[in-house]
Amino acid sequence: MYRTHNNGQLRAADINKEVTLAGWVQKTRDKGFMVWVDLRDRYGITQLIFDEERTSKEVIEKATKLGREFVIQVKGTVIERESKNPNMPTGDVEILVSELNILNESLTPPFTIEDETDGGEDLRMKYRYLDIRRKPVRENLIFRSKVAMAVRNYLSKEGFIEVETPYLIKSTPEGARDFVVPSRMNEGQFYALPQSPQTFKQLLMVGGLDKYFQIVKCFRDEDLRADRQPEFTQIDCEMAFVEQEDILNAFEGLTKHLLKEINGVEISEFPRMTYDDAMAKYGNDKPDIRFGMEFCPLTPQGGIFEPKGFGVFDTAELVVAINVEGCAEYSRKQIDALVDYVKRPQIGATGLIWVKYNADGTLKSSIDKFFGEETLKEWAEKCNAKIGDLMLIMAGEKNKTRTQLSALRMHLAEQLGLRKNDEFAPLWVVDFPLLEWDEETNRYHAMHHPFTSPKPGQLELLDTNPGEVKANAYDLVLNGNEIGGGSIRIHDKKTQALMFDYLGFTPEEAKAQFGFLMDAFQYGAPPHGGIAFGLDRLVAILGGQETIRDFIAFPKNNSGRDVMIDAPAPIDEKQLEELHLKVEIKK
Amino acid sequence: MYRTHNNGQLRAADINKEVTLAGWVQKTRDKGFMVWVDLRDRYGITQLIFDEERTSKEVIEKATKLGREFVIQVKGTVIERESKNPNMPTGDVEILVSELNILNESLTPPFTIEDETDGGEDLRMKYRYLDIRRKPVRENLIFRSKVAMAVRNYLSKEGFIEVETPYLIKSTPEGARDFVVPSRMNEGQFYALPQSPQTFKQLLMVGGLDKYFQIVKCFRDEDLRADRQPEFTQIDCEMAFVEQEDILNAFEGLTKHLLKEINGVEISEFPRMTYDDAMAKYGNDKPDIRFGMEFCPLTPQGGIFEPKGFGVFDTAELVVAINVEGCAEYSRKQIDALVDYVKRPQIGATGLIWVKYNADGTLKSSIDKFFGEETLKEWAEKCNAKIGDLMLIMAGEKNKTRTQLSALRMHLAEQLGLRKNDEFAPLWVVDFPLLEWDEETNRYHAMHHPFTSPKPGQLELLDTNPGEVKANAYDLVLNGNEIGGGSIRIHDKKTQALMFDYLGFTPEEAKAQFGFLMDAFQYGAPPHGGIAFGLDRLVAILGGQETIRDFIAFPKNNSGRDVMIDAPAPIDEKQLEELHLKVEIKK
């Protein structure tokens, strides 16, 4: 036994006990006749004292040579601390050391192992094992583990069975790019790593498992956007004999449980909103409803603006405002900054109109030339703007304008401190479109995935008005982030074949890729549906943070590299040969 | 809601309730005026009754057309069953059906969905989703889920943190073959799938996580032996500031907990045995100690047999017996079968000597020509053989003979019914050799892995007597199966470098492969060690079964193929091109 106690454990009640502790040297203070050492481990910090009068010379001498991050073991007596530290759980005591054993030395770490470190991101990634020693990182990993356990315990209690589905599966051309794994034993053939266990969980429902879940790694070989990882973790769930309502209830239950157990927040019922409403009200299918600033369309119902000579409005498909409470006093500079914000290439707006509702009751706008105060007043009424408020207006093509105004709304909320980390506003978004238009391939793709069922009676619309077909698909949104999404699935072969056909699969392709699923549907497939939560994101949000990377033990960087172990890397020629492969880099 | 109750739920107390049920048609009995249907789901079977006098004509007509495995929904009233079935939890009641809704039809399944099916293994693998509908398979999956939850709850309670380590890591030439994953973004480079999270869990210890576990998929591209899977699941654990004793205690605790919680078996303390003793006593480093038949060496201590003209003994390095209680009456035919068994090529013995201790106190052997009754009596005393026992003797080169006799011992135990599924005999095997000789490459390899520490003071032996160096390595054996294995690790750079050097790595290779780990050891690595359990095997043994495949939802066959989804499979040329690869099959 290297220790009798850990470093977060000893209290005044332990005074006079003989103890053995082990851990890392956090810091030392050497006053010649006395040496203090802060000894750290996962559980806390305990102060050690080496005292000329009470500790042997050799031991003191050894102590003076300790460096930061040395690993030591000490034996000693718990004594009362002279100057108690009320900020430390162990602050009432210290250990008068009689024996000191250096278990391992340490070079000077490349950055400080403190809550606030001087290490940049790249350095901390390379020495991730040192970064993990810092309390905030360690606490994040412990937090993640706690959330995962809470998920498992809740779902198990509710009768869900965790089933492990395979990682070596088959590549499918639909959706994102697969990571593939060459097979040595099956020449020229490849496994693929799952983007999700979608078809397997459906087969488990066909197999009568009834309620399935799994916390499982998934893989997508995508060009990495900020804060995306090539491997990520999903809470994957599926139920048989359910309608949408059953799924929403079941997983609202899970989310409520987590909010209560993890965050101590009780929420009685999650609001619901259709996809169309979310787009109209927030320009976003994952609106943050912790704050208002809902969209207020100024365009007359079903028509366009009566031309007033202001070109932007005259030709706009949509003119839409948000009302920013209490910001009428924004300076020229502040407003210019907002204009600059929406003109960024990522957002791409051409401009921004403002209307101030001044303290004296007058209204002033950036387009006074075209619209008199009466019109401005009308707008203010429409938008429920009051004295002291600032209205911001954008105009143009409907979808684009909504997206742009949504970005502005989030930017303002951030700026005004309305996105509070300790406030939780879940929202179900329902009735998603079945298909979405893809500009690149010039055809419709499944918005969720090709196994999603259309709303009853809407299948017929596929030929005449495909963009209007709604699906039994839903997302769970928390604080402006999609934390989960799912659908009621197709469970009969005919509809599934129709869907593949519609998505551009030939019958042969559909059979080659998903024949096993369509076969399965012929042997008594029950109605079923499910949902998957992104665990990385969920944990970050519950933890009141933004970056998922902070909740992953060994994350990859934006080029998909693990800079700590330096992977990926070239492999031996012999390995390639065994896999029947040749590397061929085109210049 | 598709149902108000499941099919295992209704009891006499529910009589007169209006209920809605859904599930699969297990079977129908049609007596013209009455139709009975057994409705099945994960939870059980409920009998439905359609009665001419009380059910509408249409509904009865529909019911007569139901086939096996049709998915239906019914509404009806719970009534008392006339002929109660005490073997079914729902056997007191039946449902008088008023409404019948066919949710999905079914083709005739390729095998019967019964506890005992007529389907062969291949067919059941191809239609695994139907196989899972059978109760024994379903119960196995539920059992696995229960064991995994019990593991997680126990380890969490003990302060272990579950941390997810990455799946896309780096290939290492040491050990088994890696599955690799070509990187699209890093041309000509590859990730590897982990054979275990070994280095990552060690880095978590360097990072101060202190107690780590993870239930995690691991991958090995090996030629598959029977009942091996290319992907398998490990309960992976690591602790810092521990000695071997701490690890054994911690995981004896886990195993005791599982035996009690899952099997209701209480075991006070697990016996321990050194590797050397296990080999001498059972010829096996994972002995089944549910029964005796311990090895009884007949060779005089330190010497060889006094030549008696029996060549096999005269030249043997080892002559060793087992005593089979109560089998002196074995017939010629029975004994011949044993001889044939040991002569099988997989076992490779040249013969088997028997000595019978007859009821009349005489001794008779197959080598009476060479050894008189006095010698036989001496042997009997040595082996503790009594009247009625059968001694079986093998001779030859020590290690080979031990392995052969061990196979015979297990074969006999099987035959005599000594390997009881509901009996549990755990055993720690300790003090494994650090290295083992590899005939193929003609050099020593790490027996456990290159991170295992040698016993204190034995490092010096490496140069003079490498085969004798013992490691801080241990296995947990249950009923003759290795269910877990681990070691105390090396935690300083110097020893680790020495070990790599000894295992034939150049310093450059060691740095390229494991530089990150040796770097980490320079920054205050604590003493640490761990263990990993094979979950598939553990679950099978706790479930009283042999075949791990029966506890895996979607197993692969012996060629590493998933015959249900037909993977692996060729991929698109375009995919290959993006990965900078070309398939090159050598004829």
Side-chain angles (χ1 to χ4, degrees), chain A residues 42 133 164 191 233 523 560, chain B residues 42 133 159 164 191 233 523 560:
Chain A
R42 166 181 143 196
R133 279 194 203 156
E164 296 175 52
Y191 302 97
T233 307
Y523 291 101
Chain B
R42 167 182 144 195
R133 279 193 203 155
E164 296 175 53
Y191 302 98
T233 307
Y523 292 100

Side-chain angles (χ1 to χ4, degrees), chain B residues 236-483:
Chain B
D236 194 50
C237 309
E238 196 83 1
M239 299 169 83
F241 298 111
V242 288
E243 290 157 350
Q244 176 169 309
E245 192 62 28
D246 302 309
I247 303 260
L248 299 195
N249 287 333
F251 295 97
E252 186 163 320
L254 169 65
T255 314
K256 274 183 196 167
H257 174 76
L258 293 179
L259 285 167
K260 191 171 168 201
E261 175 115 346
I262 305 289
N263 300 89
V265 173
E266 289 202 51
I267 293 175
S268 61
E269 204 176 340
F270 293 4
R272 295 181 190 185
M273 189 179 289
T274 64
Y275 171 87
D276 288 346
D277 280 352
M279 295 310 288
K281 267 182 156 167
Y282 300 100
N284 197 320
D285 62 1
K286 40 179 196 282
D288 190 340
I289 58 166
R290 279 175 295 184
F291 56 95
M293 276 198 250
E294 290 178 16
F295 286 12
C296 170
L298 303 181
T299 338
Q301 196 78 31
I304 58 163
F305 251 73
E306 191 191 336
K308 295 273 183 185
F310 181 51
V312 177
F313 278 19
D314 293 354
T315 60
E317 188 184 0
L318 178 72
V319 178
V320 57
I322 52 174
N323 180 49
V324 193
E325 283 180 22
C327 291
E329 314 256 301
Y330 260 31
S331 66
R332 180 85 222 174
K333 205 174 142 193
Q334 282 175 300
I335 288 186
D336 281 351
L338 295 178
V339 176
D340 287 348
Y341 177 79
V342 299
K343 283 183 168 175
R344 287 183 188 184
Q346 308 96 292
I347 298 180
T350 50
L352 178 66
I353 290 109
W354 54 263
V355 180
K356 287 179 174 178
Y357 207 143
N358 295 319
D360 60 6
T362 61
L363 285 141
K364 173 135 191 63
S365 83
S366 54
I367 45 172
D368 282 351
K369 244 196 279 180
F370 306 101
F371 297 92
E373 198 158 351
E374 200 147 322
T375 312
L376 300 185
K377 208 148 232 166
E378 265 171 42
W379 293 352
E381 255 162 52
K382 255 192 179 169
C383 298
N384 226 352
K386 308 244 153 7
I387 282 176
D389 290 355
L390 170 71
M391 282 190 285
L392 296 170
I393 306 174
M394 298 180 82
E397 190 269 318
K398 188 173 80 178
N399 291 334
K400 232 182 236 169
T401 306
R402 282 176 170 175
T403 306
Q404 291 163 351
L405 190 59
S406 170
L408 178 64
R409 175 178 175 270
M410 294 300 275
H411 176 70
L412 273 160
E414 201 71 66
Q415 198 170 289
L416 296 167
L418 302 176
R419 306 194 68 192
K420 298 197 182 98
N421 282 343
D422 56 351
E423 219 175 81
F424 294 94
L427 170 75
W428 286 109
V429 178
V430 299
D431 299 352
F432 270 79
L434 184 67
L435 305 166
E436 72 185 331
W437 183 256
D438 184 46
E439 301 281 351
E440 212 175 301
T441 53
N442 230 11
R443 65 178 182 88
Y444 280 104
H445 281 273
M447 190 158 186
H448 189 51
H449 53 50
F451 314 108
T452 299
S453 65
K455 290 259 170 211
Q458 301 223 332
L459 206 56
E460 297 69 42
L461 275 173
L462 265 183
D463 290 317
T464 55
N465 210 343
E468 289 303 305
V469 179
K470 292 289 188 283
N472 290 312
Y474 33 80
D475 275 0
L476 183 54
V477 174
L478 184 58
N479 295 0
N481 292 280
E482 181 210 321
I483 57 163

Side-chain angles (χ1 to χ4, degrees), chain A residues 113 179 361 364 371 410 480 506 549:
Chain A
I113 313 292
F179 281 106
K364 170 130 192 66
F371 297 92
M410 294 300 274
T506 66
R549 204 178 277 180

